[in-house]
Amino acid sequence: MEFDLDDETATLILQLQSADVEELLSAKKGKGRDGELSDTDLAAETYQQELQAMNTFLTDRSMGRSLTRAVISDAVLLNESHAEENAAARDRALAHSLAEVNGPSTAPEQMTAAYDLDDGFLARLAARYVTGWNSESDALEDTAHKDGSAAPESSAWAASRRNTSSTTYRRCTACDLTKPLIDVCQTPCGHFYCQECIQTLFELSTSDETLFPPRCCRERIPLQSVRIYLSSAVAQTFEEKSSEFEASDRTYCSQPACSSFIAADNIDGEEAMCKNCGTQTCTICKNNAHGGDCPQDIATQQVLQAAREHGWQRCYNCRRLVELEVGCNHI
């Protein structure tokens, strides 16, 4: 059920209607047979349940709008906090890397994906998922109204206020069709793509590496800025392919029937384990994993050749090269 009224008025109407139903049910108590409900009583109780459900819906919607208004209003502070957290994570990673010189350390925390919480993007997100806001301008104007006249006016809200009719629809750059604003995303270069076209672009980029990463006007389109317009399957596949396409030295499963990409998380030293079939693959020669040094590891073979020329030996335990300077050769 859609309400054109504000939440306060709609709640008041529901309270008055609930009071009328309560009065009707109270007046009919004791006038019928015990354990039997007349059609009037049944209709009144059913209507009372519907009013309670509507009241719950209004309460939930009001809370959702309140949270959304808070996020839109605090977008700048959230971006600053997000940047500080990532800076702290980078500092911790640097400290851990320096600590590893003297001994093992715990793994540093991963940084979260960074992207700006633009108020226009947040308003479009709210209009898409919060009932009662049908456009970006609805969310922005409601936020500005609730925050009071003293709140600073953002550029996105000012643009929507000056030209409300133009913010309702946008023309898709790819298919050239006019779509509602809540079904259209904006790329960093300023162009607009409808949900169907942006999903097709990201889907094609996972199967054709020449289209990766998705771009418009040669500018990369961040996944986070359009994620709400993609299906969960497309977004997950894109994240998996991103780790593959962005890897400088890729390792694929040596089992021909599998040939799956092996991410860095499943690589230990020079051995990579396929999470799909469990096959161990050598990261140097890309064939089945083998014990000892890889024959195709040119750098290692050159070091071993130098070791033979200088009479160096290898430790049987850690396999490091050892040069005897003092002592008996039989030790």
Side-chain angles (χ1 to χ4, degrees), residues 9 33 38 42 63 66 72 118 170 188 236 257 271-272 278 292 327:
T9 303
R33 295 180 179 179
S38 64
L42 182 60
M63 180 177 295
S66 178
I72 294 176
D118 175 71
R170 287 290 185 273
Q236 181 178 355
E271 291 189 0

Side-chain angles (χ1 to χ4, degrees), residues 44-266:
E45 289 186 0
T46 303
Y47 186 50
Q48 187 180 39
Q49 294 174 359
E50 291 181 357
L51 291 176
Q52 292 173 350
M54 292 179 188
N55 186 63
T56 302
F57 166 78
L58 283 176
T59 302
D60 293 343
R61 188 180 73 171
S62 178
M63 180 177 295
R65 285 183 171 181
S66 178
L67 293 173
T68 303
R69 283 191 294 266
V71 173
I72 294 176
S73 300
D74 297 339
V76 175
L77 295 177
L78 290 173
N79 279 327
E80 292 177 353
S81 176
H82 187 270
E84 292 176 356
E85 290 179 357
N86 278 343
R90 286 191 294 269
D91 293 342
R92 286 194 295 272
L94 178 59
H96 282 293
S97 64
L98 295 176
E100 288 178 355
V101 176
N102 299 323
S105 61
T106 57
E109 297 180 8
Q110 293 184 348
M111 291 184 295
T112 56
Y115 64 99
D116 289 337
L117 293 174
D118 175 71
D119 51 2
F121 167 74
L122 291 174
R124 195 176 296 116
L125 180 65
R128 186 175 180 83
Y129 291 107
V130 179
T131 306
W133 287 339
N134 298 318
S135 67
E136 175 186 0
S137 58
D138 288 346
L140 291 171
E141 289 176 2
D142 184 74
T143 300
H145 173 71
K146 293 293 183 180
D147 287 345
S149 58
E153 182 179 288
S154 65
S155 58
W157 181 84
S160 68
R161 179 177 52 80
R162 287 193 299 268
N163 194 2
T164 304
S165 60
S166 64
T167 62
T168 306
Y169 295 92
R170 287 290 185 273
R171 186 178 296 276
C172 176
T173 302
C175 64
D176 202 35
L177 296 177
T178 301
K179 299 292 183 70
L181 183 61
I182 60 175
D183 293 330
V184 174
C185 64
Q186 187 174 16
T187 60
C189 63
H191 288 134
F192 293 91
Y193 285 79
C194 67
Q195 181 177 6
E196 292 79 6
C197 290
I198 197 64
Q199 175 149 306
T200 299
L201 178 60
F202 270 75
E203 194 169 5
L204 290 175
S205 70
T206 62
S207 57
D208 187 353
E209 192 172 352
T210 61
L211 299 177
F212 182 89
R215 297 183 181 90
C216 184
C217 298
R218 299 184 178 180
E219 292 189 43
R220 181 170 184 165
I221 304 175
L223 172 63
Q224 295 295 348
S225 66
V226 299
R227 194 184 188 97
I228 61 173
Y229 302 96
L230 306 178
S231 66
S232 57
V234 171
Q236 181 178 355
T237 302
F238 181 81
E239 289 179 333
E240 294 174 353
K241 284 295 184 179
S242 295
S243 62
E244 175 183 351
F245 292 159
E246 293 174 353
S248 57
D249 184 17
R250 306 176 193 173
T251 300
Y252 294 89
C253 180
S254 56
Q255 184 69 24
C258 180
S259 300
S260 300
F261 172 73
I262 303 177
D265 296 339
N266 297 319

